[in-house]
Amino acid sequence: MSDDEPDLDAAYGLKTPEDSKRLYAAWAKSYDAGFAARMEYCLPERVVQAFVARGPRGPVLDIGAGTGLVGTHLAAAGLGPVDGVDISQEMLDVARVRGVYRRLFTGDMTARLDVADGAYGSIVSSGTFTTGHVGPEALDEVLRVAARGAQIAISVSRAHWEAAGFAAKFEALAGQIAGLELKTVRIYGDKAEGDHANDVGYVAVFGKV
C-alpha cells in the first residue's frame, strides 16, 4: 500500500458526505487491486449469498455500489436487472466497466435519492451502513424506495450494531419490516492482516411489510 492510499482507518474516520466523496475519489482506481485483494474482502459475496437465500426479485438496487463488487456477485447469481447508487462518481466509473448494472447514479443516502417510492423489488447493500458512512436513520429511505414485499439485505459491522444505533433502529421498524434475520459473517479472508483482519459483521435480511 502506498503512503497516500486511503485505508480502513480513514474510511471509519469519515464524518460528512463531502468527506466520503473526497476519500472514495482518491481510492477508486486502487480499491479492487489494493484493499479488496490484499484483505480478501469477502463481505460482498457473503451479503449476496444471504440475499439470494431470501428469494429476491428484480429490479434490484445496490446501495453503496462502489466499484461493483456486489453487482458482480448478483450477476453471477442470475439476479437482475440491477441498478447501483453511490456517493462517489469515481467509484461508479469503475463499476460501469464491469457491465453488470442497468443504471448507475450518484446519490446520498443521508438525504433523499432521486428514486420514486417503491421503485425496487429488492435492495442489497454491503459495507455502506456503518460508522462514518451511512447510519441507521437511512433505513427509512431504504424502505421508501422498496416495493411492498421487497427482500432487503444490509451489512452492518458487529462492532457498530449497538454502538451506532442499528439495533435500536431495527426495533423501532418492527411494524414496517418482517422476518428479520441476523447472519454473522467474516468481512475479510484468512490472509488479511492488520487491526481489522478478524472483523465480523452482521447481514440483516428482512422484508418490507
Side-chain angles (χ1 to χ4, degrees):
M1 182 178 69
S2 65
D3 291 340
D4 58 354
E5 182 183 353
D7 58 17
L8 282 174
D9 290 330
Y12 283 141
L14 296 172
K15 300 297 183 184
T16 70
E18 289 305 315
D19 290 342
S20 294
K21 289 179 182 178
R22 284 191 292 269
L23 181 134
Y24 285 104
W27 210 355
K29 290 184 178 179
S30 66
Y31 187 88
D32 290 353
F35 160 74
R38 184 172 59 252
M39 295 293 286
E40 292 188 332
Y41 185 44
C42 57
L43 183 61
E45 182 179 9
R46 301 291 184 263
V47 171
V48 171
Q49 287 173 345
F51 184 56
V52 170
R54 293 291 288 249
R57 68 179 190 275
V60 178
L61 179 62
D62 176 7
I63 292 175
T67 61
L69 297 176
V70 165
T72 299
H73 291 297
L74 291 173
L79 293 177
V82 180
D83 293 348
V85 60
D86 198 278
I87 200 168
S88 170
Q89 181 60 58
E90 290 80 4
M91 296 288 271
L92 293 180
D93 289 342
V94 176
R96 182 169 288 107
V97 177
R98 296 179 183 272
V100 295
Y101 291 94
R102 177 181 68 175
R103 177 191 177 214
L104 290 165
F105 62 101
T106 57
D108 179 0
M109 286 300 299
T110 67
R112 183 183 175 92
L113 299 180
D114 185 18
V115 172
D117 293 357
Y120 288 97
S122 298
I123 294 178
V124 63
S125 182
S126 174
T128 297
F129 286 80
T130 185
T131 183
H133 290 65
V134 177
E137 64 280 353
L139 290 168
D140 294 326
E141 182 67 356
V142 171
L143 291 175
R144 183 187 70 79
V145 302
R148 182 176 297 179
Q151 293 301 310
I152 302 167
I154 291 172
S155 74
V156 180
S157 170
R158 188 166 66 182
H160 304 141
W161 179 255
E162 295 279 354
F166 286 96
K169 181 61 175 179
F170 273 99
E171 288 183 11
L173 293 174
Q176 301 176 55
I177 66 175
L180 174 64
E181 298 179 82
L182 291 182
K183 299 181 181 294
T184 302
V185 297
R186 288 188 63 185
I187 297 177
Y188 307 107
D190 292 337
K191 295 181 180 179
E193 299 179 349
D195 293 342
H196 297 283
N198 296 314
D199 283 2
V200 173
Y202 292 130
V203 182
V205 286
F206 55 97
K208 177 180 174 179
V209 174

